[in-house]
Amino acid sequence: MAEGWKTHRASSMITVRKIDDEPHLLLLKRSPTAGTYPNKWGNISGHIEKDETPLKAIRREAQEETGLVFGRGAITQVADGTFADNGHVFEIHLFLAHLTSKHEPMIKLSSEHTAFGYWQWRPLIDDLEAAQESGLSPLSARIAKKWRSEISGLIP
């Protein structure tokens, strides 16, 4: 990677909910003051603190960003990888969790985000360029592209 690039250890979670029998992803819109990808849509994600496991980090981030608490076994690790973008190197640990309609009333956004929404999985993954034009963050698009088959295998 280029000299001077900042490295981030992070966990990210694809969060799926069935709506009308179609899988949808829960995405969060980052605030205009976010340090990376302001006003862009992305997964629940965040930095891994010192002495924290990737799984513990994503559980913490889910609760901090959305108020959601996932029980034991509710989160599946999908993959690990490194992405470089705009002066940043992201060491990503990707997870997946499934939501039900009971979760939605529990979603309480932190100040890091201004909105949440559900995006259909198939149109998003079939046309990532259009998804980015609609506001999907470049990092979320790259994660979806790199691990498309792994994610698809876990989404009914």
Side-chain angles (χ1 to χ4, degrees):
M1 296 300 146
E3 189 176 324
W5 284 35
K6 184 172 171 108
T7 299
H8 308 271
R9 287 184 61 234
S11 288
S12 183
M13 185 162 61
I14 305 284
T15 312
V16 182
R17 178 175 170 208
K18 286 274 192 147
I19 301 173
D20 297 328
D21 288 328
E22 289 294 321
H24 287 67
L25 303 185
L26 170 68
L27 295 178
L28 310 176
K29 187 172 185 183
R30 295 183 54 82
S31 77
T33 59
T36 54
Y37 308 117
N39 295 312
K40 296 292 183 184
W41 292 86
N43 304 318
I44 295 171
S45 61
H47 296 290
I48 300 171
E49 304 292 339
K50 185 178 179 182
D51 299 324
E52 189 175 45
T53 66
L55 178 59
K56 187 174 179 181
I58 203 58
R59 287 182 184 284
R60 175 182 50 75
E61 289 292 345
Q63 187 168 11
E64 287 176 5
E65 293 183 2
T66 65
L68 295 173
V69 177
F70 291 91
R72 180 178 223 125
I75 299 174
T76 303
Q77 185 158 9
V78 176
D80 300 309
T82 302
F83 298 87
D85 184 49
N86 200 26
H88 299 271
V89 177
F90 297 92
E91 296 173 2
I92 301 289
H93 301 271
L94 183 65
F95 295 88
L96 184 133
H98 294 273
L99 295 176
T100 63
S101 59
K102 72 174 187 165
H103 289 107
E104 187 161 327
M106 300 156 81
I107 295 176
K108 306 273 189 279
L109 294 177
S110 71
S111 61
E112 293 178 53
H113 300 93
T114 59
F116 73 92
Y118 294 97
W119 292 34
Q120 283 188 300
W121 167 248
R122 284 178 184 64
L124 182 146
I125 199 66
D126 288 342
D127 194 348
L128 288 169
E129 189 173 305
Q132 284 188 74
E133 289 171 6
S134 296
L136 184 67
S137 80
L139 183 59
S140 292
R142 291 179 67 202
I143 288 170
K145 183 177 181 180
K146 179 173 181 149
W147 292 315
R148 177 184 179 151
S149 62
E150 291 88 339
I151 297 165
S152 294
L154 295 171
I155 296 178

